Amino acid sequence: RINRIRAGFRINWMNMGDAATGRVLWQKEVWDNFAEYQEAEVSKEILACRQVSRELNFSSDELMNEFRLVQKLLFKGSLLEEWAFTFGFVIPGSTNTWQQTIDAAEESEMLPAELL
């Protein structure tokens, strides 16, 4: 079953931007849908956003009961933060756009942009 799910799952596109203005700061439309991990190099501009919007458009040929996305933030190879987002049930044969809004940490808890 897992092989059928993987074979029928496609990320069509993903973007991230400023949730307050709707301005897209990063977008990717070509994905290796068979890779376990996807890397994204996002502009430092995103660090100035109080809320970041992420949209993920995906298609699935198979039913999925607990679809989730795990985002890991690495800095120089070390894990800084990890978030898990749950979409839940995915209808077989569907294309979906999933939007999340991520609130920024307090400024005192963030790495200064100049260190990145």
Side-chain angles (χ1 to χ4, degrees):
R1 175 153 160 75
I2 190 71
N3 289 332
R4 285 195 326 267
I5 290 172
R6 284 184 178 166
F9 180 80
R10 292 168 306 287
I11 298 174
N12 302 313
W13 53 265
M14 183 170 121
N15 67 41
M16 295 178 78
D18 186 335
T21 66
R23 183 170 166 235
V24 173
L25 300 172
W26 175 86
Q27 183 158 333
K28 184 174 179 179
E29 296 179 2
V30 177
W31 292 86
D32 177 355
N33 288 306
F34 296 102
E36 185 174 350
Y37 295 95
Q38 300 286 337
E39 187 173 312
E41 291 187 26
V42 180
S43 167
K44 290 181 186 179
E45 274 184 273
I46 212 155
L47 296 175
C49 301
R50 293 303 308 147
Q51 291 185 315
V52 173
S53 171
R54 176 181 46 222
E55 287 183 301
L56 174 69
N57 182 273
F58 66 93
S59 300
S60 178
D61 293 338
E62 300 291 325
L63 176 145
M64 289 190 276
N65 285 314
E66 290 295 325
F67 177 55
R68 58 184 224 136
L69 174 134
V70 176
Q71 177 178 324
K72 295 180 179 184
L73 178 61
L74 303 175
F75 180 65
K76 296 187 178 184
S78 296
L79 182 66
L80 288 182
E81 294 181 314
E82 181 174 314
W83 301 280
F85 300 89
T86 301
F87 184 85
F89 181 78
V90 176
I91 298 169
S94 65
T95 296
N96 305 275
T97 300
W98 180 16
Q99 183 178 37
Q100 300 101 26
T101 301
I102 304 161
D103 292 319
E106 294 299 320
E107 198 169 318
S108 62
E109 299 173 18
M110 294 180 68
L111 283 175
E114 56 272 6
L115 289 179
L116 304 174

